[in-house]
Amino acid sequence: MKSITMSRDAFVSASSKAFPFIEKDVTLPIYSCYRLDFDGTNLYITASMGGNHQITTFCAAQGDKFTVCVSAYMLHKLALSLIESELTFQFPESKGQLKHLRITGRGHKHDLPIFDPVDFYILPEPEKRSRARIKGSVFTGMIGVAMSLIDSKRNEMHPQMAGINMTLHEALPGSFIMQGGTGHSFAVAEYPACGIDKWDAVTIDKAPVKDIAELVQGHEDVEMYHDNMRVVISTASARISTRLLEGKFPDMAKLLTSVKTTGRIRLNAGEIGMALRRLSYHKSETVKILVMNIPDHGNMVLSLDNNEQGSIGNEEVELSGNPEPVVMGFSHTLLSESLRSAHAVSMELSYSVHDKPMVITATESEDNRWNCSILIAPTRIK
C-alpha cells in the first residue's frame, strides 16, 4: 500500500478552509467528498460546492504520489478528534485491494471508504483576461459591506442582484469598487488608488462569499483574475474558483452621486447604534417602523411607530452640520443593518424630503484605506 505522512495540525488547518464548501444536501454523492492529490511535496485538498464553486487548499506531506476521493465529513471530523502530532494515510496501490483510506496514528486505525476521483470534476482554469491584487484586510472589509444588504428573496426578478459586483469607478481612475444590495438599499465600498488599471466588471454569487472573506482575512495579498465566466480568488494558502452571475449589474456608485440632497448632518456611529439597539426592544410585528425626526436645531429624535398608539420609545442623538427639518420613516432592521455595515466611527447622513432616499457615508471608518457609502429608501409613515 502507498502512504503519506503529514503534520496533523497542518492537515486540520487546510481541511478547515475547505470544509465549508462541502454542501450538506448534495445531488451527486461525489460532491460530499474531498479530492486528495499528493504530488510528492504537498497534499492538495479540493472541495466543491455543487460544481459551481470550488476550493483547493494544501499542506506539506511526505510519501508516495496518489489521487483519491474520500468522505469530507468523516475525514475532517476524524482528524479533528485525533491528538497525534502526525497523521499517516495509507491507500490501495491496485484496484484488486480493499477500497479504503486508512488513517493511522498512535493507537488508532480507521478505514474510510474511497471513491473514484475520475467522477470528481475539477473546474477548468479561467484565462487571465482581467487581473487584480488587493490587500486581504481591505478585501474582507469591502466584501463585508457589499454583502450585508443583499436579500436574495427581493432579487428573484434580477438574479444578478443576488451577488456582489466588482468593478472600477468610471469617474475615478484606479478606484476599485465592490457593491451589492436591493432596490430598497444598497452599499458601495470603494478602494481608491488601488493600482488596478484594467478590470472588466463581474458579479460573483453570494453563496461562497462569506467563506471567501474568512479565508482571505489575515493574508497580505489577494489575487483575483477572471475570464467573464469564472473568477479565481487566491491567497498563499488557498485557491477559490467560483462562477459569475449573468446579467448587467446597475451602476450603484453612479446612482449615489446623482442623488440630490439638501440636508447634511454628522453623527457619532456608536451613539446612534446604541439608540437603535435600545429601540429594538420595542419591536414586534406591528411595531417595526423607525421614525427619524431631524429638527433645524437641537438633537435628532428616533422613535418606533405603532399604527394604533403612535410613537413608542424616544432616543435623542446629538448631531452637527447643516440640518434641514424633516420627518422620515425607515425599516428599523434595514437602517440598523445599513449603519452597522458601514464600519464607521462617525458618519454623515445626506437627505432631501421624506419620500426620497437617504445617503449614509462613513466619514471616519474602522479602516480608512477604503470608503463606504450606503443608499437607503424610506418607508411611508402611516
Side-chain angles (χ1 to χ4, degrees):
M1 298 181 75
K2 293 184 177 181
S3 66
I4 64 169
T5 302
M6 76 215 75
S7 161
R8 178 259 180 196
D9 290 344
F11 176 80
V12 168
S13 176
S15 178
S16 296
K17 295 181 178 72
F19 192 70
F21 281 72
I22 297 295
E23 291 186 305
K24 295 181 180 178
D25 301 316
V26 293
T27 54
L28 297 175
I30 194 67
Y31 288 134
S32 65
C33 293
Y34 281 156
R35 174 175 165 137
L36 305 178
D37 295 277
F38 180 60
D39 64 0
T41 304
N42 293 313
L43 174 65
Y44 294 91
I45 305 170
T46 302
S48 194
M49 189 182 290
N52 292 319
H53 320 289
Q54 204 165 83
I55 181 172
T56 300
T57 64
F58 67 92
C59 65
Q62 295 179 333
D64 306 304
K65 294 182 180 181
F66 78 99
T67 298
V68 71
C69 287
V70 64
S71 166
Y73 181 84
M74 294 173 68
L75 180 56
H76 181 68
K77 295 300 182 182
L78 181 61
L80 284 174
S81 67
L82 296 175
I83 60 174
E84 285 81 5
S85 60
E86 285 191 345
L87 295 178
T88 298
F89 291 178
Q90 296 176 327
F91 41 90
E93 192 169 2
S94 65
K95 294 183 179 178
Q97 293 178 290
L98 185 63
K99 291 189 174 182
H100 64 256
L101 178 72
R102 176 165 293 174
I103 293 92
T104 60
R106 188 172 61 250
H108 301 285
K109 183 176 69 174
H110 298 271
D111 291 340
L112 306 183
I114 62 174
F115 303 87
D116 192 342
V118 173
D119 297 329
F120 193 105
Y121 179 65
I122 296 294
L123 297 173
E125 178 77 1
E127 294 182 25
K128 298 181 181 181
R129 297 180 184 175
S130 290
R131 300 183 67 173
R133 188 179 293 272
I134 192 170
K135 298 293 183 184
S137 56
V138 173
F139 181 96
T140 302
M142 290 178 65
I143 212 164
V145 169
M147 180 177 65
S148 61
L149 299 179
I150 296 175
D151 187 339
S152 300
K153 294 180 180 179
R154 292 181 178 178
N155 290 326
E156 291 178 350
M157 297 298 292
H158 305 283
Q160 71 277 13
M161 290 288 287
I164 293 176
N165 182 257
M166 300 180 180
T167 186
L168 291 177
H169 201 299
E170 288 186 1
L172 299 173
S175 290
F176 190 68
I177 288 175
M178 294 187 192
Q179 50 190 354
T182 68
H184 299 275
S185 63
F186 62 79
V188 176
E190 177 193 348
Y191 182 30
C194 60
I196 302 172
D197 298 322
K198 185 180 184 301
W199 176 268
D200 295 332
V202 293
T203 305
I204 63 174
D205 196 342
K206 181 188 176 183
V209 164
K210 184 178 180 181
D211 296 321
I212 292 173
E214 291 178 356
L215 280 171
V216 305
Q217 191 169 17
H219 285 274
E220 182 65 20
D221 289 314
V222 177
E223 184 183 14
M224 300 181 289
Y225 54 89
H226 71 84
D227 61 358
N228 294 320
M229 295 183 65
R230 306 196 65 82
V231 64
V232 169
I233 301 169
S234 63
T235 68
S237 62
R239 174 187 176 277
I240 304 106
S241 177
T242 182
R243 71 182 178 93
L244 298 175
L245 298 181
E246 299 179 357
K248 184 175 176 58
F249 199 91
D251 191 342
M252 295 177 172
K254 187 175 181 180
L255 179 60
L256 271 173
T257 59
S258 67
V259 175
K260 296 180 180 180
T261 60
T262 55
R264 187 167 295 176
I265 60 174
R266 287 182 290 275
L267 305 167
N268 178 277
E271 187 177 347
I272 189 173
M274 288 302 298
L276 289 172
R277 182 179 300 180
R278 288 190 288 268
L279 288 172
S280 69
Y281 303 143
H282 297 286
K283 280 177 57 181
S284 67
E285 285 300 315
T286 58
V287 184
K288 51 189 175 182
I289 302 301
L290 180 94
V291 178
M292 179 183 290
N293 188 338
I294 303 175
D296 56 1
H297 64 277
N299 295 335
M300 177 174 70
V301 179
L302 302 176
S303 61
L304 282 177
D305 181 59
N306 184 315
N307 296 336
E308 299 175 354
Q309 302 175 7
S311 64
I312 298 178
N314 282 279
E315 288 283 342
E316 291 192 10
V317 179
E318 187 177 348
L319 58 83
S320 62
N322 301 305
E324 286 285 337
V326 71
V327 178
M328 305 179 75
F330 297 97
S331 159
H332 179 280
T333 301
L334 197 56
L335 182 62
S336 298
E337 290 176 351
S338 299
L339 296 177
R340 187 165 51 247
S341 67
H343 297 281
V345 176
S346 59
M347 59 181 59
E348 185 176 83
L349 308 185
S350 303
Y351 59 94
S352 55
V353 292
H354 72 280
D355 58 351
K356 298 295 182 183
M358 171 181 285
V359 177
I360 303 169
T361 306
T363 54
E364 182 183 353
S365 63
E366 297 171 1
D367 189 336
N368 290 317
R369 290 175 295 178
W370 51 273
N371 307 318
C372 172
S373 297
I374 296 167
L375 184 143
I376 178 170
T379 300
R380 185 167 63 92
I381 305 172
K382 295 181 180 180

